[in-house]
Amino acid sequence: MVVVSRRSELDELLARHGTRGAAAFFLRQRGRDLDEVTQRHEALRSALTEVGAAVPADWRRGHVERADLPRFLFAPEDVVIAVGPDGLVANVAKYLDGQPVIGVDPEPGRNAGVLVRHRASAVAGLLRARPAGQERTMVAARLDDGQELYGLNEIYVGHSGHQSARYVLADPSGARERQSSSGLIAGTGTGATGWCASIARDRAAAPPAPAPGEEALCWFVREAWPSPATGVSLVAGTLTGRAELELTAESERLVAFADGVESDALELSWGQRIRISVAGRRLHLV
């Protein structure tokens, strides 16, 4: 079993300010109280302790923080337990290939509970019963040099500083268009309530969002700029089955990252191509 968590807000405050007194002073200056932060920290610690106690004695155990996920190697037989907000499941999903994930909500009522669907007290029963769970679609991006990237919610392709990116976009129908925009987002049904949803609200003809288990993606170009050299006709659509969206970089410092983890990104230089499609792997969510 591998438990995945992220540092609490109290941990981050102590890392920055050194002592609880200094952290309390910092929060008071901003109209907040250390007690609130401490309560959330204790809720996370309590959930982690209860999860650890639920693991059979003869199982191997591991623990990895969110920041260390790009450097952690999961084994095929691992069972992963993500203790934290819904986004933590998305953060870990991109590094898995078929391992089951149990999402544990340490603060019921504060998180939406879409992906962290269980209390810590339920973990022992889940490990014994091994329920079937859900299969959720993932999105994949592949560079022409063989590098790959996976996401549970969405993949962003654009300038590293979210400035104007220049590229040529080709959709599955064969249509091609040179564009300048603030990036492209391709999302799954799981991610359709997040970044993609915020874009779709502003689009009169946004494509329908796929279901979480449907082998389909929706995609959007952000703020495409019309000019004599760049167009705005290919700005949204869907990808189903093996259909691919292809982007050829025409500027430097373009990146592709998944689920908001900008520190683990693919880099595109001028002329490189990246293809986005439904991933061949799926997340097994218990």
Side-chain angles (χ1 to χ4, degrees):
M1 186 198 72
V2 179
V3 174
V4 181
S5 65
R6 58 184 301 174
R7 293 202 302 175
S8 68
E9 188 177 1
L10 179 60
D11 289 331
E12 293 174 345
L13 285 167
L14 292 177
R16 178 179 178 183
H17 299 286
T19 67
R20 286 178 177 260
F25 176 78
F26 173 81
L27 291 175
R28 281 199 303 272
Q29 298 298 106
R30 287 153 180 78
R32 297 186 62 195
D33 191 279
L34 186 65
D35 288 343
E36 172 203 350
V37 175
T38 301
Q39 288 172 5
R40 297 187 61 198
H41 173 84
E42 293 302 328
L44 175 60
R45 295 298 106 191
S46 177
L48 289 170
T49 299
E50 192 166 4
V51 166
V55 183
D58 58 342
W59 284 32
R60 293 185 296 112
R61 303 171 184 232
H63 185 197
V64 58
E65 288 192 350
R66 176 186 182 273
D68 296 324
L69 284 171
R71 298 179 292 276
F72 189 85
L73 182 62
F74 289 93
E77 68 275 12
D78 286 343
V79 174
V80 181
I81 303 181
V83 184
D86 289 299
L88 187 61
V89 175
N91 294 152
V92 71
K94 58 185 289 189
Y95 301 105
L96 303 179
D97 189 5
Q99 295 93 336
V101 179
I102 299 173
V104 173
D105 187 352
E107 299 180 87
R110 185 179 182 90
N111 299 307
V114 176
L115 300 176
V116 287
R117 303 185 300 161
H118 306 288
R119 305 284 182 95
S121 58
V123 170
L126 292 169
L127 294 178
R128 287 193 302 268
R130 303 291 183 92
Q134 303 176 352
E135 296 289 332
R136 297 215 171 200
T137 298
M138 297 183 68
V139 54
R142 298 176 176 86
L143 274 178
D144 53 11
D145 62 5
Q147 295 184 77
E148 296 181 335
L149 179 70
Y150 295 89
L152 177 63
N153 286 336
E154 71 277 311
I155 283 178
Y156 164 86
V157 184
H159 193 276
S160 58
H162 297 260
Q163 303 169 31
S164 293
R166 296 183 299 279
Y167 54 85
V168 175
L169 185 65
D171 72 5
S173 72
R176 298 175 64 86
E177 184 173 68
R178 179 170 283 106
Q179 294 184 342
S180 176
S181 77
S182 55
L184 179 145
I185 305 292
T188 66
T190 300
T193 58
W195 204 349
C196 287
S198 67
I199 299 173
R201 289 190 192 98
D202 296 328
R203 303 288 178 95
E214 184 181 354
E215 291 195 359
L217 308 173
C218 55
W219 60 270
F220 301 91
V221 174
R222 302 167 64 209
E223 302 167 324
W225 177 257
S227 75
T230 57
V232 294
S233 61
L234 298 180
V235 293
T238 57
L239 297 174
T240 58
R242 298 189 178 185
E244 294 182 329
L245 199 63
E246 182 183 272
L247 184 149
T248 304
E250 289 196 340
S251 56
E252 296 291 340
R253 296 188 64 198
L254 298 192
V255 297
F257 61 81
D259 300 330
V261 185
E262 297 188 46
S263 59
D264 186 18
L266 303 180
E267 296 184 2
L268 290 78
S269 57
W270 188 287
Q272 275 199 291
R273 294 190 307 276
I274 190 167
R275 292 181 173 89
I276 300 172
S277 65
V278 173
R281 64 177 64 170
R282 293 165 69 84
L283 173 70
H284 181 66
L285 183 66
V286 175

